[in-house]
Amino acid sequence: MSSYVITGVSRGVGFEFLRQLSENPANTVFGLVRNKAAVESKVAAEIGRKNIHIIEADTTDPQALKKAAEYVSKQTNGTLDYIIANAALQAKTALVGFDTLSKDPKALEEDLIEHFRVNAIGPIHLFNTFMPLILKGRAKKVIAISTGASDPEMTLKADMFQATAYSMSKAALNIAVAKFSALYRQKGVLVMAICPGAVDTGSLQIESEEEGKLAMAMFAKFKEYSPTFEGPSKPEDSVKSILGLVNKATVDGGYAGVFISHTEKKPYL
Ligand SMILES: NC(=O)c1ccc[n+]([C@@H]2O[C@H](COP(=O)([O-])OP(=O)(O)OC[C@H]3O[C@@H](n4cnc5c(N)ncnc54)[C@H](OP(=O)(O)O)[C@@H]3O)[C@@H](O)[C@H]2O)c1
């Protein structure tokens, strides 16, 4: 019954969005990826549904997004119900703070710019490109997947010095979401940012013993921020909860332009 465009569906939370949303054969789900052949094989092997379309588009490339929108438009007769901007970069620089990163100022600068490009500017291009379709859709919901790490409160409560570029770029995403809401709320478009909580996706791809120790130190900060935190949730549970919120949220219900947890409560973990 509904059409969805989701970015970053090759793995993790994005792949789970693809799986859950395609369960309803009446839905049409468009997944944007960087390696179409690899993701099509994975989808065929692990999901195997005809209502999934995999489209190759780096979300930082406006031309690729334009072509993706043309493809979607042909399939949907020019409309789209939901966008979920899920693709993101969290590089291993997240394991350390500005003190360590300051040893190579050029690399620090490039790390910041790359996180901004993928996590904030990419969703801006995505929303601009697909907004004409959304305006003709029924649901009119535009969702950005953000993170509690973008809320200064989490940083301050546990002195969480890690995840510098990642947190900053997602904070930029949150304000971009508010700006899109300011533009389109009166046209009935809900634009909001949602934190999925900590989810076990292996996104940091820890390889060495040293990286393992740094990851544990970050984990300890999570626990300090939220003493009840018992570890990351499964992608199935997080996505189910996010979709529950997406279905419930409306422009008039106080959700326009906000950044909130999938649980609608703090702490984020
Ligand atoms: N996991 C958590 O604990 C957690 C916590 C808070 C927030 N989040 C947020 O939840 C979302 C999903 O997280 P995750 O853990 O599932 O991430 P993940 O496993 O690292 O997957 C990231 C996805 O983004 C894609 N991607 C990265 N750069 C891209 C680009 N330039 N163009 C197109 N696609 C790109 C990746 O594609 P490739 O396969 O091509 O690299 C991959 O599909 C992210 O927005 C993340 O910030 C996650």
Side-chain angles (χ1 to χ4, degrees):
M1 220 41 183
S2 298
S3 51
Y4 294 81
V5 162
I6 309 156
T7 62
V9 300
S10 66
R11 51 193 157 96
V13 170
F15 189 77
E16 184 58 23
F17 273 125
L18 203 62
R19 204 185 60 72
Q20 290 192 22
L21 290 169
S22 63
E23 270 168 5
N24 180 348
N27 286 343
T28 307
V29 190
F30 300 94
L32 269 55
V33 299
R34 289 190 288 189
N35 185 338
K36 181 176 166 172
V39 180
E40 275 185 339
S41 303
K42 183 175 170 181
V43 168
E46 297 180 31
I47 309 179
R49 297 191 187 118
K50 289 200 162 54
N51 56 343
I52 296 176
H53 300 242
I54 301 299
I55 307 170
E56 192 156 295
D58 188 311
T59 52
T60 61
D61 178 352
Q63 283 310 315
L65 289 172
K66 190 167 169 257
K67 277 192 189 157
E70 283 164 7
Y71 175 86
V72 171
S73 184
K74 272 190 196 139
Q75 306 294 320
T76 60
N77 210 11
T79 74
L80 180 65
D81 294 313
Y82 298 85
I83 305 175
I84 304 179
N86 164 80
L89 169 68
Q90 181 170 201
K92 284 183 188 173
T93 48
L95 293 169
V96 294
F98 282 132
D99 52 350
T100 306
L101 297 169
S102 71
K103 289 172 191 152
D104 186 343
K106 189 70 198 157
L108 185 158
E109 189 179 315
E110 281 165 5
D111 186 53
L112 278 167
I113 292 169
E114 191 54 16
H115 279 81
F116 268 80
R117 231 165 58 82
V118 178
N119 296 349
I121 301 170
I124 291 170
H125 289 319
L126 179 79
F127 297 165
N128 278 329
T129 309
F130 283 93
M131 198 58 82
L133 278 69
I134 285 284
L135 287 167
K136 291 188 200 137
R138 277 160 305 161
K140 294 187 175 59
K141 294 192 181 183
V142 174
I143 310 297
I145 303 300
S146 189
T147 172
S150 65
D151 184 340
E153 191 182 291
M154 187 162 161
T155 294
L156 299 177
K157 201 169 161 195
D159 285 335
M160 199 180 121
F161 57 83
Q162 299 97 329
T164 53
Y166 177 69
S167 305
M168 289 171 69
S169 61
K170 289 285 191 171
L173 171 65
N174 298 345
I175 189 71
V177 160
K179 296 293 178 191
F180 272 100
S181 182
L183 267 180
Y184 292 106
R185 182 181 63 83
Q186 286 174 358
K187 293 185 171 140
V189 181
L190 173 73
V191 191
M192 70 184 289
I194 300 176
C195 168
V199 193
D200 188 8
T201 60
S203 60
L204 273 174
Q205 297 174 13
I206 301 301
E207 285 156 327
S208 67
E209 195 178 322
E210 176 61 13
E211 284 174 5
K213 277 190 195 152
L214 291 170
M216 287 311 289
M218 190 150 74
F219 207 72
K221 292 285 181 192
F222 289 170
K223 192 87 183 146
E224 203 179 318
Y225 163 69
S226 173
T228 55
F229 176 60
E230 292 297 345
S233 61
K234 288 192 239 150
E236 311 77 292
D237 297 333
S238 173
V239 166
K240 197 169 171 203
S241 172
I242 295 167
L243 291 177
L245 175 56
V246 169
N247 288 336
K248 167 187 163 184
T250 58
V251 166
D252 297 332
Y255 295 92
V258 301
F259 159 57
I260 51 172
S261 165
H262 66 112
T263 62
E264 299 194 57
K265 297 189 292 259
K266 289 185 185 180
Y268 296 95
L269 301 169

